[in-house]
Amino acid sequence: MKMKVRRVIDLSHTIMEGMPVYPGDPIPKIVPFSNVKEKVSSLSKITLGSHTGTHIDAPRHAIESGVSVDGVSLEKLMGEAVVLDLSHVEPGEAITFSDLQQHEVKEDDIVLLFTGMGRRWGDEKFLTNYPYLSLDATEWLVKRGTKAVGVDWTSIEKYGGKEHPAHDKLLSHNIPVIESLVNLDVVKGTRIFFICLPLKLKDTDGAPARALAIEFET
Amino acid sequence: MKMKVRRVIDLSHTIMEGMPVYPGDPIPKIVPFSNVKEKVSSLSKITLGSHTGTHIDAPRHAIESGVSVDGVSLEKLMGEAVVLDLSHVEPGEAITFSDLQQHEVKEDDIVLLFTGMGRRWGDEKFLTNYPYLSLDATEWLVKRGTKAVGVDWTSIEKYGGKEHPAHDKLLSHNIPVIESLVNLDVVKGTRIFFICLPLKLKDTDGAPARALAIEFET
């Protein structure tokens, strides 16, 4: 076992009170909690939505009988990832098949989409105004044998629709979706070792997660 | 980037309602949450203690001015780990300096202590009856230059005391403590690549985490 870590890049948003959440989602709370018996150590009580901050959508998010987050294979959430630079796509616009096919994506790649939205995280107007994945883009990702898809904004879905075709397409193929990544600008246009570990929440539709790029010593 | 993952061993307990928690800690809840506007996707609301299930104690858990979990260096939570077989230690007994010094521990190792308690997780009587780290054991770990310490039971501290010398010793040296690991029997007596990623909770004393052993292809 000679794997040595040279550098870690944290791709996760900080979870805190007052952080942006998708409209209608539970409001995050972190409250000091007293242990009456001990009073000697600090503890907190945390309330979160399953899709708060950087998080994973398990198939069950969109499909009632789909795999829950505790059943998502961890092998799908780590490994070689390619970070596509899609910074030309504006909020409200679709990322299409033709945006993606210009890039080299290999079978079993984790595909991370950088748009620059990660830096606009604190700005409320971008909670409902962000790029989205067109159906032909998701079809292309499925056909390429993509292992997982991650994005640096709130939701892969066009805001305000009553259906969720992008989620349906990916999640019905058991391709987990990672939303609200940050710091992808540091690695855009490169291949990285990526890992995203969600809380192991039983039978749940998704979970907050910690996502990283790791550079190993060669 | 040619790092290929061969095998993943999940060292984390599942988080669910009714799971064991340290006496007095917040009770975990996972509740379905309706998004009135959308109603088309499944969401949940989660309530947890900061030390629920497999979790990290940040220095702030024991030291008021200590580093909070969002400030713990991720490099301390990944890398080469040695899994010491201490299965001879019974619940209620101390793990001492002499138990540890029989093993080869190198500077910057993550030291994981296997006792077998991970398999007794569902049994309530072991929530207050478990091995603990003697002060001389923690002093030895500090002197060896240990990067982080992980255990397969509830708390490194002797149950019921009004002080927490083991936590004080490790956390005052910025050595994070990982409690309630499971499945260490699979890797006991070996060296592994270990990674433990806590939620990035702002200014918080600790956080639930996902912990793994990863085998890479060589």
Side-chain angles (χ1 to χ4, degrees):
Chain A
M1 257 314 309
K2 283 156 197 148
M3 302 301 317
K4 281 214 181 292
V5 171
R6 183 163 52 196
R7 185 183 178 212
V8 178
I9 300 155
D10 195 350
L11 306 177
S12 328
H13 283 292
T14 301
I15 298 172
M16 60 180 128
E17 297 202 354
M19 70 189 285
V21 294
Y22 190 86
D25 272 25
I27 304 300
K29 288 184 188 166
I30 303 177
V31 181
F33 183 83
S34 293
N35 182 322
V36 181
K37 270 192 255 174
E38 304 277 339
K39 278 191 184 163
V40 288
S41 54
S42 180
L43 287 175
S44 307
K45 185 175 175 180
I46 305 149
T47 309
L48 296 173
S50 48
H51 300 256
T52 295
T54 305
H55 69 275
I56 294 199
D57 290 353
R60 189 163 301 182
H61 181 50
I63 300 154
E64 203 176 346
S65 60
V67 174
S68 53
V69 71
D70 53 323
V72 171
S73 160
L74 289 166
E75 282 83 353
K76 292 200 174 195
L77 300 173
M78 66 183 76
E80 190 167 340
V82 57
V83 188
L84 310 188
D85 187 345
L86 300 167
S87 50
H88 64 282
V89 181
E90 294 293 326
E93 287 183 6
I95 291 166
T96 66
F97 158 71
S98 60
D99 291 316
L100 298 183
Q101 68 167 355
Q102 300 170 28
H103 299 272
E104 193 198 8
V105 172
K106 296 185 288 192
E107 191 173 345
D108 268 342
D109 272 347
I110 296 170
V111 178
L112 304 179
L113 306 180
F114 166 73
T115 65
M117 291 294 291
R119 298 270 171 233
R120 291 166 160 179
W121 173 248
D123 190 334
E124 287 215 352
K125 69 173 177 276
F126 295 112
L127 280 174
T128 54
N129 186 26
Y130 45 74
Y132 63 96
L133 287 187
S134 72
L135 191 56
D136 66 358
T138 57
E139 281 167 352
W140 188 81
L141 288 164
V142 170
K143 279 188 197 146
R144 300 298 292 183
T146 301
K147 199 159 75 166
V149 174
V151 305
D152 66 353
W153 69 93
T154 318
S155 170
I156 58 168
E157 210 70 58
K158 185 173 181 173
Y159 184 75
K162 291 197 175 169
E163 295 184 331
H164 39 64
H167 281 89
D168 283 346
K169 178 59 72 178
L170 296 176
L171 297 177
S172 67
H173 285 85
N174 280 318
I175 300 172
V177 175
I178 305 151
E179 289 167 334
S180 298
L181 293 163
V182 68
N183 296 332
L184 288 183
D185 49 325
V186 180
V187 289
K188 69 182 175 189
T190 69
R191 290 187 164 265
I192 59 174
F193 183 87
F194 174 79
I195 181 165
C196 178
L197 298 185
L199 288 191
K200 194 175 181 180
L201 299 176
K202 187 174 170 67
D203 295 338
T204 306
D205 43 81
R210 195 77 180 258
L212 314 175
I214 303 177
E215 286 177 18
F216 291 97
E217 286 183 14
T218 47
Chain B
M1 259 313 309
K2 282 159 199 146
M3 302 301 317
K4 282 213 181 291
V5 171
R6 183 164 50 196
R7 184 182 178 212
V8 178
I9 301 154
D10 195 349
L11 306 177
S12 328
H13 283 293
T14 301
I15 297 172
M16 60 181 130
E17 297 202 357
M19 69 189 285
V21 295
Y22 190 86
D25 272 25
I27 303 300
K29 288 184 188 165
I30 303 177
V31 181
F33 184 83
S34 294
N35 184 322
V36 180
K37 268 190 257 174
E38 305 275 339
K39 278 190 186 164
V40 288
S41 53
S42 180
L43 287 176
S44 307
K45 184 175 176 179
I46 305 149
T47 309
L48 297 172
S50 48
H51 300 256
T52 295
T54 305
H55 69 274
I56 294 200
D57 290 352
R60 190 163 300 182
H61 180 50
I63 299 154
E64 202 176 348
S65 60
V67 174
S68 53
V69 72
D70 52 324
V72 171
S73 161
L74 289 166
E75 283 83 353
K76 292 199 174 197
L77 300 174
M78 67 183 76
E80 191 167 340
V82 58
V83 189
L84 309 188
D85 187 345
L86 299 167
S87 50
H88 64 282
V89 181
E90 294 293 325
E93 287 183 4
I95 291 166
T96 65
F97 158 71
S98 60
D99 291 315
L100 299 183
Q101 67 167 357
Q102 300 170 28
H103 299 272
E104 194 198 7
V105 173
K106 296 186 288 191
E107 191 173 345
D108 268 342
D109 272 346
I110 297 170
V111 178
L112 305 180
L113 307 180
F114 166 73
T115 65
M117 291 295 291
R119 298 269 171 233
R120 293 167 159 180
W121 173 248
D123 190 333
E124 286 215 352
K125 69 173 177 276
F126 295 113
L127 279 174
T128 55
N129 185 27
Y130 45 75
Y132 63 96
L133 287 187
S134 71
L135 190 55
D136 67 359
T138 57
E139 282 168 351
W140 188 82
L141 289 164
V142 171
K143 278 188 196 146
R144 299 299 292 182
T146 302
K147 201 159 74 168
V149 174
V151 305
D152 67 352
W153 69 92
T154 318
S155 170
I156 58 169
E157 210 70 58
K158 184 173 182 174
Y159 185 74
K162 292 197 174 169
E163 295 185 330
H164 40 64
H167 281 89
D168 284 346
K169 177 59 71 177
L170 296 176
L171 297 178
S172 67
H173 285 85
N174 281 317
I175 300 171
V177 176
I178 304 150
E179 290 167 334
S180 297
L181 293 164
V182 68
N183 296 331
L184 287 183
D185 49 325
V186 181
V187 288
K188 70 183 175 189
T190 69
R191 290 187 163 264
I192 59 173
F193 184 87
F194 174 79
I195 181 166
C196 177
L197 297 185
L199 288 191
K200 194 174 180 181
L201 299 176
K202 187 174 169 66
D203 295 338
T204 306
D205 43 82
R210 194 78 180 257
L212 314 175
I214 303 177
E215 286 177 17
F216 291 96
E217 286 182 14
T218 46

